[in-house]
C-alpha cells in the first residue's frame, strides 16, 4: 500500500511540475507587445527606448527642459513646446514648424550636447510630418556648430512622432538600434553624416 501511495504521489508531483513548465509567460509577451505599440507620449517613447538599454551602454545623461518639474537626471525628461527659440537652439527644430507640435521630450549627454542630443516630438497633424522632417534635417545639417560638431544625424518617424538625434557615431548607432527594435512602426527618414 505504501508503494502505491508513493508512486501516486510521485506521479502527481511530476504532472504538477510539467503543468507549471508549460504555462505560457504572458507577462513578457505583454511587455514586448506594449513596447512595440505606438507610444502614448514623447516622454514614454524615449523612456521605453532608454529602459531597453543594456546598463553598459547607458551614458551620463539628462532630460527635459530647465523647469523644476521637467528637469531629469540620468533619464529622458519632458520638454516644453512653447518656446520655439529654445527648441531651435537645443534640437535644431525649425522655429517656423514649432506650432505644429504639441509634445516633446529630450535626452542629452551630460558631457556635451554635440556628443548626443535627442528630441522626440509629437506632430499635431500627421499630414505635415514629411514636411517637418525635411525642414528639421536641413536645419540640423546646415547649423553653425560650437565646440566641434557631431558625427551623425538620424531622424526616425514613429506614427505621428518624430525622433531626431545627433552625436558621436557609436552612441548614435546604439540609440538607433534600440529605437528600431522597440517600435515596429519606426521608419528611418534620415541617416547622414554631419560635415
Amino acid at each position: 500500500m505504501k508503494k502505491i501511495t508513493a508512486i501516486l504521489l510521485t506521479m502527481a508531483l511530476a504532472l504538477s511540475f510539467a503543468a507549471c513548465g508549460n504555462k505560457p509567460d504572458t507577462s513578457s509577451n505583454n511587455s514586448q507587445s506594449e513596447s512595440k505599440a505606438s507610444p502614448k507620449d514623447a516622454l514614454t517613447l524615449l523612456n521605453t527606448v532608454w529602459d531597453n538599454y543594456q546598463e553598459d551602454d547607458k551614458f551620463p545623461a539628462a532630460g527635459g527642459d530647465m523647469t523644476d518639474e521637467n528637469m531629469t537626471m540620468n533619464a529622458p525628461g519632458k520638454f516644453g513646446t512653447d518656446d520655439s527659440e529654445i527648441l531651435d537652439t537645443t534640437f535644431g527644430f525649425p522655429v517656423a514648424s514649432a506650432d505644429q507640435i504639441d509634445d516633446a521630450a529630450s535626452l542629452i549627454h551630460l558631457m556635451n550636447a554635440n556628443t548626443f542630443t535627442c528630441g522626440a516630438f509629437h506632430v499635431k497633424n500627421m499630414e505635415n510630418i514629411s514636411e517637418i522632417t525635411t525642414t528639421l534635417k536641413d536645419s540640423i545639417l546646415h547649423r553653425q556648430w560650437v565646440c566641434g560638431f557631431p558625427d551623425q544625424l538620424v531622424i526616425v518617424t514613429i506614427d505621428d512622432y518624430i525622433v531626431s538625434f545627433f552625436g558621436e557615431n557609436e552612441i548614435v548607432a546604439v540609440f538607433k538600434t534600440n529605437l528600431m527594435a522597440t517600435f515596429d512602426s519606426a521608419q528611418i527618414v534620415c541617416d547622414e553624416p554631419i560635415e
Side-chain angles (χ1 to χ4, degrees):
M1 185 70 175
K2 286 182 182 178
K3 283 184 178 180
I4 293 173
T5 305
I7 291 171
L8 289 174
L9 281 172
T10 304
M11 289 175 60
L13 282 172
L15 287 173
S16 67
F17 285 133
C20 289
N22 289 334
K23 186 176 179 182
D25 182 8
T26 55
S27 63
S28 66
N29 290 342
N30 286 344
S31 65
Q32 186 176 7
S33 63
E34 284 174 16
S35 70
K36 296 279 187 180
S38 298
K40 69 175 188 174
D41 57 47
L43 182 55
T44 301
L45 188 160
L46 291 187
N47 274 327
T48 304
V49 176
W50 190 242
D51 290 345
N52 285 338
Y53 263 67
Q54 298 292 323
E55 281 304 314
D56 291 346
D57 289 331
K58 288 189 174 180
F59 49 85
D65 53 38
M66 299 304 283
T67 60
D68 289 338
E69 65 269 18
N70 291 342
M71 188 64 182
T72 309
M73 292 303 295
N74 298 315
K78 184 170 176 56
F79 205 97
T81 58
D82 295 335
D83 191 332
S84 59
E85 293 295 329
I86 291 182
L87 288 168
D88 180 42
T89 27
T90 306
F91 306 108
F93 196 91
V95 171
S97 301
D99 63 345
Q100 298 185 55
I101 59 170
D102 57 8
D103 182 35
S106 68
L107 181 68
I108 299 174
H109 200 292
L110 281 178
M111 185 172 72
N112 183 317
N114 292 346
T115 303
F116 184 79
T117 291
C118 175
F121 314 99
H122 179 256
V123 178
K124 294 178 191 177
N125 184 348
M126 196 166 170
E127 291 177 7
N128 299 328
I129 206 162
S130 178
E131 177 189 335
I132 296 170
T133 55
T134 299
T135 57
L136 176 59
K137 172 186 166 184
D138 291 343
S139 174
I140 295 171
L141 290 178
H142 298 107
R143 309 185 69 73
Q144 295 283 327
W145 298 97
V146 180
C147 302
F149 54 90
D151 298 324
Q152 193 77 8
L153 165 66
V154 178
I155 300 174
V156 174
T157 60
I158 303 167
D159 301 322
D160 50 356
Y161 288 86
I162 298 171
V163 182
S164 70
F165 46 102
F166 52 81
E168 189 271 328
N169 279 326
E170 187 176 335
I171 296 174
V172 167
V174 170
F175 188 88
K176 179 176 72 172
T177 299
N178 281 302
L179 177 66
M180 299 306 289
T182 302
F183 296 103
D184 283 336
S185 60
Q187 296 183 355
I188 297 173
V189 176
C190 167
D191 190 352
E192 295 185 21
I194 297 175
E195 298 171 347

